[in-house]
Amino acid sequence: MPRYAQLVMGPAGSGKSTYCSTMVQHLGSLNRSAHVVNLDPAAEHFDYPVMADIRELIQVDDVMEDPSLRFGPNGGLVFCMEYFANNFDWLDESLGHVEDDYILFDCPGQIELYTHLPVMKQLVEQLQQREFRVCGVFLVDSQFMVESFKFISGVMAALSAMVLLEIPQINIMTKMDLLSPKAKKEIEKYLDPDMYAMMEDNSDNITSTKFKNLTKAICGLIEDYSMVRFMPFDRSDEEGVNIVLQNIDFAIQYGEDLEFKEPKEADEDPDDLNYDEAFQDKVDS
């Protein structure tokens, strides 16, 4: 039986741990078992239990305090992740093997890990060798995306992760519940953007011809190939969380290998069918 994994990525402060907490609670409400693995060696606390914690292997503070290394915070984190890549046996021991494993990997926020360093790619390859179907979940803070040029920067960061990891990827705007009504209305145009129109609206703000041509080329790449789209994520919106989960499940083909479950007893409400059964019915149809 395959195993399933979400690789939860994104810049620092984008809401990765909050996303993991919300998703685990939502999966629990659907009678689905899910676990979280912390891969951030600089993490301080979480409000959910973890199946495995990289800090048991190595911590950023220990690396920074080592007089022979003399790393700062960023260098220390990269060192920790490279050490982790050389000790994947620890991950094997921590995960064990349970059929139908569904695991969320809460990853660090250093953007270098998703642009040019090989660590996350190596992690994906290791998981795939262990029969995991992996989906990348790239988070960007919606409060950061309310301006056109910031939005383009967020798109390029997500695109870098897609190109590096070569796995299905769902891109999400988090913290939608923190936006003002005006900002929510403004950000709707970024969920399914017309990049050329966005470029025209901001062309007067660009004084450099070279920069304008570069921005136009980037917008053309995103628009013509439909490379990146974002989904909204409001932790207080149960239906919205479920839509995100359905898209991820579809990307990793969750449910295709599940066996039929016995129908519920007649005295149970048919509207209370759990998500696994509903998903299986949809697959079989």
Side-chain angles (χ1 to χ4, degrees):
M1 293 287 288
R3 308 162 82 185
Y4 306 93
Q6 293 185 30
L7 208 61
V8 184
M9 308 171 287
S14 58
K16 295 183 292 297
S17 294
T18 301
Y19 168 88
C20 290
S21 175
T22 304
M23 191 58 70
V24 167
Q25 292 177 25
H26 181 71
L27 286 164
S29 71
L30 299 173
N31 295 321
R32 286 173 54 178
S33 175
H35 307 280
V36 180
V37 172
N38 172 49
L39 291 184
D40 185 355
E44 295 183 356
H45 65 275
F46 339 93
D47 59 356
Y48 50 82
V50 293
M51 182 184 191
D53 189 345
I54 193 175
R55 295 177 302 176
E56 297 172 359
L57 177 69
I58 189 169
Q59 296 189 41
V60 167
D61 289 343
D62 294 339
V63 172
M64 292 173 59
E65 292 170 3
D66 190 324
S68 65
L69 297 175
R70 297 186 178 181
F71 282 123
N74 287 338
L77 189 139
V78 171
F79 178 88
C80 289
M81 295 308 293
E82 290 176 342
Y83 182 84
F84 165 65
N86 291 322
N87 292 273
F88 280 127
D89 290 344
W90 168 83
L91 187 62
D92 269 338
E93 295 172 2
S94 301
L95 296 182
H97 189 93
V98 180
E99 287 190 356
D100 275 352
D101 276 351
Y102 198 106
I103 300 176
L104 284 71
F105 290 87
D106 189 357
C107 300
Q110 268 57 27
I111 200 67
E112 304 97 309
L113 297 172
Y114 316 112
T115 56
H116 59 278
L117 294 177
V119 176
M120 301 310 292
K121 176 66 174 176
Q122 293 169 357
L123 172 61
V124 168
E125 291 171 349
Q126 291 291 324
L127 292 175
Q128 290 173 337
Q129 290 174 15
R130 291 157 177 77
E131 299 182 327
F132 274 96
R133 295 177 182 176
V134 186
C135 179
V137 182
F138 195 90
L139 311 184
V140 179
D141 187 344
S142 60
Q143 300 172 101
F144 170 80
M145 303 283 270
V146 293
E147 296 178 14
S148 299
F149 294 114
K150 291 181 179 179
F151 171 76
I152 293 174
S153 297
V155 168
M156 295 305 293
L159 185 58
S160 294
M162 292 171 65
V163 172
L164 177 69
L165 300 181
E166 300 180 280
I167 56 176
Q169 182 167 305
I170 304 296
N171 303 301
I172 296 175
M173 285 192 192
T174 58
K175 305 183 184 180
M176 295 291 289
D177 50 311
L178 301 182
L179 295 177
S180 66
K182 180 180 178 181
K184 283 185 178 180
K185 187 174 182 180
E186 179 70 17
I187 209 167
E188 286 180 2
K189 67 182 181 182
Y190 296 117
L191 295 175
D192 189 15
D194 182 337
M195 299 303 297
Y196 287 114
M198 191 182 299
M199 175 68 188
E200 290 299 323
D201 292 343
N202 292 275
S203 59
D204 293 339
N205 298 328
I206 305 176
T207 57
S208 168
T209 302
K210 289 183 178 180
F211 183 63
K212 182 180 293 187
N213 291 337
L214 174 62
T215 306
K216 184 176 181 180
I218 293 173
C219 290
L221 171 69
I222 298 167
E223 179 69 23
D224 293 346
Y225 293 94
S226 299
M227 300 293 285
V228 179
R229 288 291 184 273
F230 285 90
M231 299 185 67
F233 189 84
D234 180 344
R235 64 178 302 186
S236 63
D237 180 7
E238 197 77 13
E239 183 179 353
V241 173
N242 198 51
I243 290 172
V244 170
L245 177 61
Q246 288 179 11
N247 277 268
I248 295 170
D249 284 348
F250 181 78
I252 56 179
Q253 300 176 313
Y254 177 81
E256 286 195 354
D257 300 293
L258 294 181
E259 298 179 357
F260 274 111
K261 297 181 184 295
E262 290 295 327
K264 293 205 170 188
E265 297 297 329
D267 59 348
E268 291 187 54
D269 188 346
D271 292 333
D272 290 336
L273 284 172
N274 77 31
Y275 180 80
D276 286 349
E277 295 170 356
F279 194 93
Q280 183 65 41
D281 290 343
K282 182 179 179 182
V283 170
D284 292 333
S285 64

